[in-house]
Amino acid sequence: MPRNPRPPRAVAAWIVLFVALGPAACTSSDPDGSTTSPPATSSKPPVTKTLTAQRDTEAAPENPMTYAHLLQKANDFKNSLTERQRADLEHPYTFQNASRWHTYPQWYLGDRGRLGVDLSTLSDEQWDSLNALLAAATGSGERDGYAQIQQHLIADDYLRSIGAGDGYGRGDFRVAFLGTPSETGRWQLQFGGHHLAVNNTYENGALISATPSFRGMEPPEFHYNGVQYRPEGHEWDTFVALLASFTDEQLAQARLKETYRDLLLAPGTDWAFPETPSGVQVSTLSEKQRQLVRQAVTNYVNDADDASAHSYLAKYEAELDDTYVSYSGGPSLTNSGDYIRIDGPTLWIELVMDTPYTSDGPHPHAVWRDKRDDYGGTRP
């Protein structure tokens, strides 16, 4: 959450899922404050009834994603918009636009804010069309992809409902098309808001990149409209189980010298991967530990559409022996600044426990990047 502004694709082993440990609470012994305040909460209702999250809790449609299906859903959404909304939706494909995603809510970003349609302007029918597009573009798992996006929207509605400010809620999210969805050429589907960034790059009828992909959650767990939510819990649980499985010697080898207040490759920090990996090499781990690494990776990669996730995981499995795990702070990942990283020849996943802003304890920020395929390989 805001403190100081920052510049703006399995083989069978990956399909065997680790049974996650039970929920673990996040507590902090090291909170710090913020001098930036969100817009004041008013008593006015959300802009439309679709801001209440009641109608978006269904399971994702089945997702045998084909590009033709995705393209149809993109055009259906575009055609559902007014002329003004279409003007907000469509922007040129450039690196500057492709990298214009963030972790912060829109109200905080000012001139650095996200491009795209203001979701508070969508009608119920337009929301249905957008959800069909998001379901086509992302994973179909019960805790991944489309389902997780819906929980992120609900999480921001929750923050609005408890008085965090009118700048929270699903209406503060944006969706943009960078370039024109077509069977040829390159374009990007960009969707995001507070603690969520989907950056899918397509070229000549295929997904060529699902990264950078950012997920965060504050509070990590919450109760809203009679339902308990923990959207990023299985990701956090797996990382905690992985570090808990390390021997003292492995923990010492995996510990980084640096401390972290934020992700190393946070928004605005692109293509700055360390030249040399640090930590424990996965080839030295036991099979149980290697399976935990696989599960940690799967948790993030499964946010991509199912076929693309399968391909990504096959690539990362082939690189697994040359992948490293490292951490900073405490291995329990419960305090601000606790940090873990998975660093492979092309894979990059990192999670940091960020300081509290709208809750009493720290919360996770995590990003999945690909050292070759971020933004489809587009660079500044």
Side-chain angles (χ1 to χ4, degrees), residues 60-61 63 134-141 144-148 301-306 309:
N63 185 15
L134 293 174
T138 59
S140 66
D144 309 303
Y146 175 83
Q148 192 172 77
V301 175
N302 274 355
D303 287 332
D305 73 84
D306 299 347

Side-chain angles (χ1 to χ4, degrees), residues 16 32 41 56-57 113 124 151 171 173 205 241 249 272 287 298 322 347:
V16 179
D32 67 10
T41 300
D56 293 313
T57 57
D124 286 353
Q151 291 196 40
F173 284 59
E249 181 180 356
E287 184 52 38
T298 300
D322 294 321
L347 171 67

Side-chain angles (χ1 to χ4, degrees), residues 53-326:
Q54 295 302 305
R55 59 192 302 278
D56 293 313
T57 57
E58 307 95 6
E62 291 185 8
N63 185 15
M65 202 286 280
T66 66
Y67 185 77
H69 177 71
L70 173 79
L71 184 59
Q72 181 64 57
K73 296 305 178 183
N75 286 324
D76 287 348
F77 175 64
K78 176 181 173 180
N79 292 335
S80 77
L81 302 179
T82 66
E83 184 176 350
R84 171 60 187 272
Q85 289 172 321
R86 286 196 296 270
D88 289 338
L89 175 72
E90 297 177 306
H91 297 269
Y93 180 84
T94 64
F95 178 78
Q96 182 178 4
N97 288 344
S99 60
R100 196 164 167 171
W101 58 276
H102 216 284
T103 71
Y104 296 169
Q106 189 78 359
W107 61 261
Y108 185 85
L109 296 173
D111 292 340
R112 298 181 292 121
R114 298 169 185 84
L115 301 172
V117 178
D118 180 337
L119 299 194
S120 69
T121 70
L122 298 188
S123 67
D124 286 353
E125 292 74 16
Q126 290 169 331
W127 264 107
D128 289 341
S129 186
L130 174 59
N131 279 334
L133 170 58
L134 293 174
T138 59
S140 66
E142 293 183 358
R143 301 182 298 182
D144 309 303
Y146 175 83
Q148 192 172 77
I149 289 172
Q150 296 303 318
Q151 291 196 40
H152 274 264
L153 295 174
I154 292 168
D156 236 48
D157 290 339
Y158 166 76
L159 289 177
R160 183 184 178 109
S161 76
I162 63 171
D166 284 347
Y168 294 98
R170 66 186 57 208
D172 197 51
F173 284 59
R174 299 291 187 273
V175 59
F177 292 173
L178 310 182
T180 302
S182 65
E183 295 178 354
T184 61
R186 175 176 291 206
W187 67 285
Q188 180 177 314
L189 169 63
Q190 195 172 74
F191 177 83
H194 179 219
H195 281 157
L196 178 68
V198 176
N199 294 294
N200 281 9
T201 305
Y202 302 90
E203 188 170 68
N204 298 330
L207 179 81
I208 61 171
S209 177
T211 62
S213 176
F214 176 87
R215 302 292 186 272
M217 185 53 56
E218 184 183 22
E221 186 172 4
F222 60 94
H223 190 84
Y224 184 54
N225 287 339
V227 180
Q228 193 73 16
Y229 294 97
R230 193 168 175 257
E232 300 296 323
H234 62 301
E235 292 90 341
W236 185 88
D237 286 341
T238 306
F239 277 138
V240 171
L242 174 59
L243 290 177
S245 77
F246 280 12
T247 65
D248 290 344
E249 181 180 356
Q250 287 173 322
L251 285 172
Q253 185 177 356
R255 182 179 290 277
L256 295 163
K257 297 179 181 179
E258 301 84 2
T259 58
Y260 295 87
R261 273 179 62 88
D262 199 358
L263 298 169
L264 187 61
L265 274 82
T269 309
D270 296 300
W271 299 110
F273 303 100
E275 294 183 3
T276 304
S278 300
V280 173
Q281 191 167 359
V282 176
S283 62
T284 69
L285 300 182
S286 70
E287 184 52 38
K288 178 181 178 180
Q289 292 170 326
R290 289 163 63 87
Q291 187 61 20
L292 287 168
V293 175
R294 290 187 179 102
Q295 182 60 49
V297 176
T298 300
N299 290 339
Y300 292 95
V301 175
N302 274 355
D303 287 332
D305 73 84
D306 299 347
S308 297
H310 187 276
S311 297
Y312 268 116
L313 292 172
K315 179 177 74 167
Y316 297 149
E317 172 70 18
E319 301 172 349
L320 188 63
D321 283 349
D322 294 321
T323 298
Y324 291 76
V325 178
S326 58

Side-chain angles (χ1 to χ4, degrees), residues 1-3 6 103-104 194-195 214-218 232 239 261-263 266-267 300 338-340 350-355 362-367:
M1 282 301 307
R3 292 183 301 274
R6 305 183 186 102
T103 71
Y104 296 169
H194 179 219
H195 281 157
F214 176 87
R215 302 292 186 272
M217 185 53 56
E218 184 183 22
E232 300 296 323
F239 277 138
R261 273 179 62 88
D262 199 358
L263 298 169
Y300 292 95
D338 289 351
Y339 174 93
I340 186 170
E350 55 178 328
L351 176 147
V352 67
M353 297 304 291
D354 197 27
T355 53
H363 62 283
H365 280 193
V367 68

Side-chain angles (χ1 to χ4, degrees), residues 35-48:
T35 59
T36 305
S37 299
T41 300
S42 74
S43 59
K44 66 181 181 180
V47 178
T48 72

